[in-house]
Every structure is written in structure tokens, then in C-alpha cells.
Amino acid sequence: MALTMLNELLIEDPNPPMLLYQVSKTAQLDTLNYQSCFMQSVFAHFPEILFIHRTYNPMGKVLYTFLVDGPRVQLEGHLARAVYFAIPAKEDAEGLAQMFQVFKKFNPAWERVCTILVDPHFLPLPTLAMEFPAAEVLLSAFHICKFLQGKFYQLSLEQPVERVLLTSLQSTMCSATAGNLRKLYTLLSSCIPPAQLPELHSHWLLNDRIWLAHRWRSRAESSRYFQGLEVTTRVLSQFFGTTPCVEQGMVSLLRYMQQNAGDEASFSLGLSAQNNHAPLDVSPESPKMEQLVEARIQHSLNAICTGPAAQLCLGELAVVQKSVHLIGSGSEKVNIQILEDTHRVQPQPPASCSCYFHQAFHLPCRHILAMLSAQHQVLQPDMLPAQWTAGCAASLDNILGSKWSETLDKHLAVALLTEEVGQLLQQCSQEEFERRYSTLRELADSWIGPYEQVQL
């Protein structure tokens, strides 16, 4: 039934794509190779650098997505850089060789491929080298970043250490100079237990050849690049990686691509205008739905909050627009990342977040608003402290309307640090408490001096 739907979906396409698939004796999809005319055209224009991403399905099948990469590629729409989809029969040398050979038959420009970017777990490198003998195979900066991110979470490090490592990783990926990479390498060596350090393969950070393929990007371009790939891989996981039925997953993915065919028009216009076109929306939601959700959130902020509070939160919402990323969720907490440090959001009323803005003002920050936007929800009165609700705290207008004070900034920073240190002291054993307290006592005395007793 799913294969029938797949064929019907392709018939609806005004420019019939190339589709090859084979079913097993049990009528299950065995192999698939797909490329639309638009995808074929994109690869023909930008064949120099090929980026390969793999998405695993609960049934054990894996979807190979080929994307174009490099300085000349200015396509920023979700899946706009995808040029080929393939599901091999098996991830062995024979199955992958057959997949690459089909790709080459339908894409004569494959001979111009100079670099292929893969993930750290890509094992069949000999097959790739045999099918693309003139291409250099390198680990991609994006996959290394995701690999290290995952390892940081797996190691269950203390939260301050984890936060420092994630911040440093993000900063380094956006400015992958040799000096920054060396600093991150040194930081890993000092923060990760020696027995666990080999799991991180930190030597990749010192392989300059890997980073030359990424270093040409500016900091802003790197941020857009990582964000675009995050959205692309999230869309692939949403349709293929979470659907038990492989055929149904591909039907949903291809239908989604047809419904977002605006990328094709932008690509055509970009070629006629020397690629001088505006970046495309990278949200997997349709623009109308996204605008509707944001309008509802703005309305709820204006209706529930005081004027100053609404103004602050609307500023945070402006950051959320077109940069939201819902990393993952659990039963009690949600992880949110918006091109910056990862923060933990607790959605239960009153909603809270670990970021500086929320800790200072106790208002819905960009991370809480990102969570609401991603889940198509609006602000509820019980998510807001009483002092910020409409009709209250009118005297705060002058405070929030005045210029930011350096003294107030320091006071908030000290208060936040004090609260965090207090939590660390409370959440440890008695023995650890005594050790930490004595260390803190020694630091305070050596900094201010024992002649002035400092109250801890």
C-alpha cells in the first residue's frame, strides 16, 4: 500500500523524478534510490563537495542523504541542499557499492567531486574511496560537533563543567582557527577523566585538514550553516527516523518536499541573479502556521504581562523567530538551544529556565518562548510570577526603562553565582560539603584577607 502511495505521489509531480526501488519477497522495501530533477540540477551546479548524512529507521534500514556543500552553495532552505536519497539493501561493501554506482549513472557530474564529508561512524571508507577515487574523504565539522555533544551528555559530567564544554565547543565550531581548536583540545584534556578521554577522539581537533574544509566560513556563516544542518537532520529524523514503516516514512518525506517546493523557485532565480537571493525560511513548519503561533504568543504576552514585562519578553521572542531548535524533551524538562548555550527549561508552572535572563527577571525567556512556539502553545497566567501579571508592579516602568547599570549587572551576576554555589553545596554529601566549604573559605580569605571576616 505504501509503495502504491509512493508511485501515486510521483505521478503528481510535474517533473517526474528518477526513482528506483526493489522489494523483497515479503513485499517490504529492500532498496531505494530517489532524485528529483531539481536535486539533479543542484548537484550539477555544485558537485565539488559532497556531504553524506545517515538516518536510521526503527526497522534497521538506513537512509543516505547526499547534500552539496562548499563556498559556492548559498541555498539555505531546509533540504534545499539535498541532492539524492538512497536506502541500500545492506550497509556492507556490496550494498553501498551498488548505491554509489546508481548515483553515478544518473549524475555525470560525479567525476568533479573533490571532497566527501562523512560522520565519524562511517566505516565503509574503502568502498567510498574505490567508487570516488579522485575525491578526498574527510570527517565533517558538523558531525564532529554532534559527536562531541553526545559524548558530553553521555559522560554525565557536573553541570558547570558540561556547560563550559558545550559553550567552548559551540564557539570553536563557529571560529575553527588552529588556536581555538588547540584551546578546546587542552580544555578537554583538563576536564575529562583520563580513562574516558580516548572516547572523545580529541585528536580530530588537531587534524588541520579536516578544518580547512570548514574554516572559510565567517562566524555568522558558521552559525547559519550549523543551524541549517540541524533543521535538515531533524526533518529527516522526524519523517524517516521515527516511523516504523520505511515506505510510509519516505512517502511522508517526499510529500513534505513537494509541499516546500519554493526552494526550487529560489534556486532558479538565484542562478539567473548570480546566486544573489535572500536566505530561505528554515523552519519545518509552514510560514502561515509559524506566523499564527507567534501572533498568539504575542497576544498572550500583551494580555497577561505588565507593559514592561511584555516589552522584555517580546524582545526575547524576536530572537526565537526563525532560530528555534527543540533539542529533546523528557517528562519533566526540555532542552532548548538557540544558536547559543544549551539551557534547561522546566515547563511546569511556573515555567523556569537556567538562562541568565530568566534568573534575573523571572520572566518567560527566549527558551521558554521557543518551547511554547515549538509546541504550538501560548503563555498561561500560572507560568508567570504574580508581580509581573497585568495590573501589578506599575512602579517598575522607570526601572526597566532606564539605562542598564553596571552596578546592577554585577549585583545580578553575583546573585546568580551565589545561588549556583549554594545549590552545589546543598546537593552533595556531608564529606564533600566540608571539603567544598573549606575551599570556599580559603578562597574568600586569600582574596579579601583574613583581617576582614567574610560571611559565607
Side-chain angles (χ1 to χ4, degrees):
M1 185 181 297
L3 291 175
T4 302
M5 293 172 59
L6 187 59
N7 280 314
E8 291 176 353
L9 182 65
L10 299 178
I11 292 174
E12 299 171 6
D13 197 320
N15 298 311
M18 180 277 292
L19 172 68
L20 296 176
Y21 66 82
Q22 180 177 338
V23 296
S24 63
K25 294 181 180 179
T26 59
Q28 300 296 317
L29 186 66
D30 195 32
T31 64
L32 180 141
N33 296 270
Y34 173 89
Q35 185 178 49
S36 68
C37 296
F38 167 64
M39 297 163 76
Q40 193 174 44
S41 177
V42 171
F43 179 71
H45 281 89
F46 310 115
E48 293 84 7
I49 303 178
L50 199 59
F51 180 104
I52 299 179
H53 180 74
R54 298 180 298 165
T55 307
Y56 283 88
N57 181 270
M59 298 301 293
K61 283 292 188 179
V62 57
L63 172 66
Y64 277 70
T65 303
F66 295 24
L67 304 99
V68 290
D69 206 317
R72 297 201 304 124
V73 181
Q74 300 297 323
L75 299 171
E76 298 193 19
H78 48 282
L79 290 176
R81 298 194 295 114
V83 296
Y84 198 78
F85 292 123
I87 300 177
K90 293 182 179 179
E91 276 199 293
D92 56 11
E94 182 181 356
L96 293 179
Q98 184 180 18
M99 178 186 73
F100 290 132
Q101 289 165 11
V102 173
F103 171 80
K104 293 192 294 184
K105 286 181 180 179
F106 287 92
N107 295 277
W110 74 268
E111 295 181 344
R112 294 160 53 197
V113 175
C114 300
T115 305
I116 301 177
L117 303 176
V118 298
D119 64 83
H121 301 291
F122 195 96
L123 298 179
L125 295 179
T127 303
L128 195 58
M130 181 176 64
E131 296 297 334
F132 296 87
E136 181 181 18
V137 181
L138 297 172
L139 296 182
S140 78
F142 172 78
H143 284 123
I144 289 179
C145 179
K146 298 304 294 180
F147 175 84
L148 291 176
Q149 252 185 2
K151 286 297 182 182
F152 293 163
Y153 291 126
Q154 290 175 13
L155 293 176
S156 299
L157 303 169
E158 291 188 4
Q159 187 172 342
V161 176
E162 180 185 286
R163 186 160 56 245
V164 168
L165 290 177
L166 290 172
T167 301
S168 180
L169 174 63
Q170 178 197 358
S171 177
T172 302
M173 292 300 106
C174 290
S175 182
T177 64
N180 288 341
L181 291 164
R182 170 63 68 174
K183 289 179 182 178
L184 179 58
Y185 176 86
T186 304
L187 182 63
L188 293 180
S189 301
S190 60
C191 292
I192 305 298
Q196 296 174 316
L197 191 59
E199 300 178 27
L200 272 66
H201 297 277
S202 55
H203 60 274
W204 290 335
L205 299 173
L206 305 182
N207 186 340
D208 202 53
R209 189 64 196 94
I210 293 176
W211 305 103
L212 286 177
H214 171 68
R215 194 173 290 156
W216 56 268
R217 298 182 178 92
S218 66
R219 177 175 288 274
E221 288 171 335
S222 294
S223 295
R224 290 194 296 270
Y225 174 75
F226 282 107
Q227 181 198 18
L229 285 176
E230 285 281 8
V231 174
T232 297
T233 55
R234 178 178 56 169
V235 169
L236 294 172
S237 297
Q238 176 185 348
F239 290 111
F240 185 82
T242 59
T243 306
C245 178
V246 176
E247 298 87 348
Q248 185 61 53
M250 288 306 302
V251 169
S252 301
L253 177 60
L254 297 180
R255 187 176 295 279
Y256 169 80
M257 292 187 67
Q258 283 189 359
Q259 294 171 351
N260 291 270
D263 296 338
E264 301 184 18
S266 295
F267 176 65
S268 301
L269 292 173
L271 289 179
S272 60
Q274 299 298 320
N275 287 331
N276 185 22
H277 59 276
L280 302 173
D281 179 16
V282 298
S283 171
E285 300 290 344
S286 65
K288 291 183 179 179
M289 175 60 73
E290 183 182 18
Q291 293 171 6
L292 177 62
V293 171
E294 291 172 359
R296 291 176 60 195
I297 292 177
Q298 290 181 16
H299 177 76
S300 65
L301 285 170
N302 288 320
I304 297 173
C305 304
T306 62
Q311 187 174 359
L312 284 171
C313 294
L314 289 173
E316 290 288 286
L317 181 61
V319 180
V320 172
Q321 294 168 344
K322 301 188 186 303
S323 63
V324 58
H325 180 195
L326 182 65
I327 292 184
S329 61
S331 58
E332 298 180 353
K333 292 187 178 180
V334 177
N335 288 340
I336 294 292
Q337 179 178 347
I338 308 177
L339 297 180
E340 55 177 38
D341 299 343
T342 300
H343 293 286
R344 288 178 172 82
V345 174
Q346 181 175 329
Q348 288 78 12
S352 63
C353 179
S354 61
C355 74
Y356 185 86
F357 178 91
H358 181 80
Q359 296 296 322
F361 298 110
H362 303 289
L363 285 170
C365 59
R366 64 190 66 176
H367 311 101
I368 293 176
L369 296 172
M371 176 196 68
L372 295 177
S373 177
Q375 297 179 353
H376 294 181
Q377 297 176 357
V378 298
L379 185 71
Q380 300 297 329
D382 58 359
M383 299 177 69
L384 199 70
Q387 65 269 24
W388 287 112
T389 54
C392 300
S395 61
L396 293 176
D397 285 333
N398 294 332
I399 297 176
L400 295 176
S402 62
K403 293 184 178 179
W404 188 256
S405 166
E406 182 180 359
T407 303
L408 179 59
D409 184 42
K410 289 181 178 179
H411 173 75
L412 290 172
V414 170
L416 184 62
L417 181 60
T418 301
E419 181 180 355
E420 185 171 349
V421 171
Q423 290 179 355
L424 290 174
L425 289 173
Q426 293 174 15
Q427 298 170 359
C428 62
S429 63
Q430 183 64 29
E431 181 181 355
E432 183 68 14
F433 171 81
E434 296 294 341
R435 189 179 66 83
R436 291 181 179 182
Y437 184 86
S438 62
T439 302
L440 191 60
R441 173 81 273 164
E442 184 179 349
L443 287 172
D445 290 341
S446 63
W447 182 32
I448 300 177
Y451 49 82
E452 181 178 344
Q453 183 65 25
V454 181
Q455 181 179 359
L456 295 179

